[in-house]
Amino acid sequence: MSDRERSWLAPPEGVRRHAPATLRNRAPIATMLGALLPAAGRVLEVASGSGEHCAYFAEHFPKLEWHPSDPDPDALGSIAAWCEGLANVRAPVALDAAAPAWPVLHADAILCINMVHISPWEATLGLMMGAERVLPPGGPLILYGPYREAGVPTAPSNEEFDQSLRARNPVWGLRLLEEVVAAAESRGLVFERRVAMPANNLIVAFRRS
């Protein structure tokens, strides 16, 4: 990487955001990523948020090139700050999952953590359409977060979380997993696995057909 390409890695001080849950979930997520991600190639992270996950995963999977993104300009600064000095992380890009076109045209895998429930449903639909466009056949789309499931009691903590999300924004909230799977399969993404994770979260993985 040239000095010019590294220039984005020197953001102003004090722009790092911190998401406390990251410290608790990053290691379990990384364990599952080891079984789902390709050995090499580019991983597009949609809705990178603070950038802490991207920095952690980039260190743990050095053979992969990580491309973080977020629609929030302040988040882009935080991502750059957390990923400073990591040679296998590309400059973060402004990407709205719901947009009909993305600034990234190809990725070997897509990772999306804690976006589906903290965004309008249109963002999830856009994520599936984007994955259909940019992933190669067999490329994984990996989601992480809390979901509702038909016939499965929702944990009280997730019920409370859902209520707090809807109080903040009525178009947010925990999604029914079956509806997420249906949206993915309508865009040529084949459901591969559902893995229970700590704190009543799930990893849900798809493969591009």
Side-chain angles (χ1 to χ4, degrees), residues 118-134:
I118 313 180
S119 62
W121 177 241
E122 289 75 17
T124 297
L125 298 179
L127 175 66
M128 304 311 178
M129 289 187 282
E132 181 185 30
R133 291 193 304 270
V134 308

Side-chain angles (χ1 to χ4, degrees), residues 8-9 16-18 22-23 25-27 29-30 33 43 45 47-69 75-90 92 111 113:
W8 68 272
L9 295 174
R16 283 190 178 187
R17 294 179 172 181
H18 174 56
T22 303
L23 296 177
N25 64 34
R26 62 187 186 180
I29 294 174
L33 292 182
V43 181
E45 185 183 20
S48 299
S50 68
E52 294 167 276
H53 278 126
C54 185
Y56 183 84
F57 299 147
E59 291 182 336
H60 282 71
F61 299 96
K63 293 183 179 180
L64 289 167
E65 179 186 65
W66 294 81
H67 201 165
S69 70
L76 297 179
S78 180
I79 295 164
W82 280 106
C83 295
E84 182 178 0
L86 296 174
N88 61 328
V89 179
R90 294 176 64 90
L111 174 64
I113 296 174

Side-chain angles (χ1 to χ4, degrees), residues 3 135 143 170:
D3 289 342
L135 286 175
L143 310 180

